[in-house]
Amino acid sequence: MAKTTAKYELMYIIDVDLGEELIAATVEKFKSLIESHDGTVNELDEIGKKKLAYLINDKPEGYYVLVKFESSPDFPAELDRVLKITDGIMRSLITVIEE
């Protein structure tokens, strides 16, 4: 029986105060996390530093990252849990890409 997968889009914002090295490490951490759970990263777009629409934690800017990936339907809940407990992640959103 083939494993079912679904397509997802993850957008997250990293605190720019972390600095370039920690931002790069954070991006790599989530890419590796997806791949280590039998997911496939189809697209990774580091949009970069942008002004936020409103202050988050009194910060005016964030580092935006967009990831399009495929994984089993139970994985996004775990990914969301890890995003919520990771220092430096200001906001994150995982959405299902409808075919």
Side-chain angles (χ1 to χ4, degrees):
M1 192 172 109
K3 236 177 144 179
T4 59
T5 63
K7 291 185 176 181
Y8 299 94
E9 193 172 83
L10 161 64
M11 170 71 83
Y12 59 100
I13 307 171
I14 305 171
D15 186 342
V16 291
D17 291 347
L18 288 182
E20 285 180 31
E21 282 182 27
L22 277 174
I23 289 173
T26 303
V27 171
E28 186 55 41
K29 170 185 174 172
F30 288 107
K31 180 178 181 280
S32 298
L33 183 67
I34 292 166
E35 290 169 344
S36 69
H37 285 80
D38 296 326
T40 307
V41 175
N42 298 328
E43 194 179 315
L44 177 66
D45 185 11
E46 292 188 46
I47 298 163
K49 196 190 293 190
K50 291 248 185 239
K51 189 167 172 38
L52 300 170
Y54 53 90
L55 294 179
I56 300 175
N57 308 334
D58 297 321
K59 308 271 172 78
E61 292 181 323
Y63 190 90
Y64 284 71
V65 181
L66 175 67
V67 184
K68 292 183 180 179
F69 68 97
E70 289 179 56
S71 75
S72 61
D74 56 342
F75 173 65
E78 170 63 10
L79 180 58
D80 193 46
R81 184 190 73 77
V82 176
L83 282 157
K84 283 181 170 50
I85 61 172
T86 301
D87 288 337
I89 300 295
M90 299 167 77
R91 290 284 188 277
S92 63
L93 180 66
I94 302 169
T95 51
V96 178
I97 300 174
E98 299 295 336
E99 291 301 312

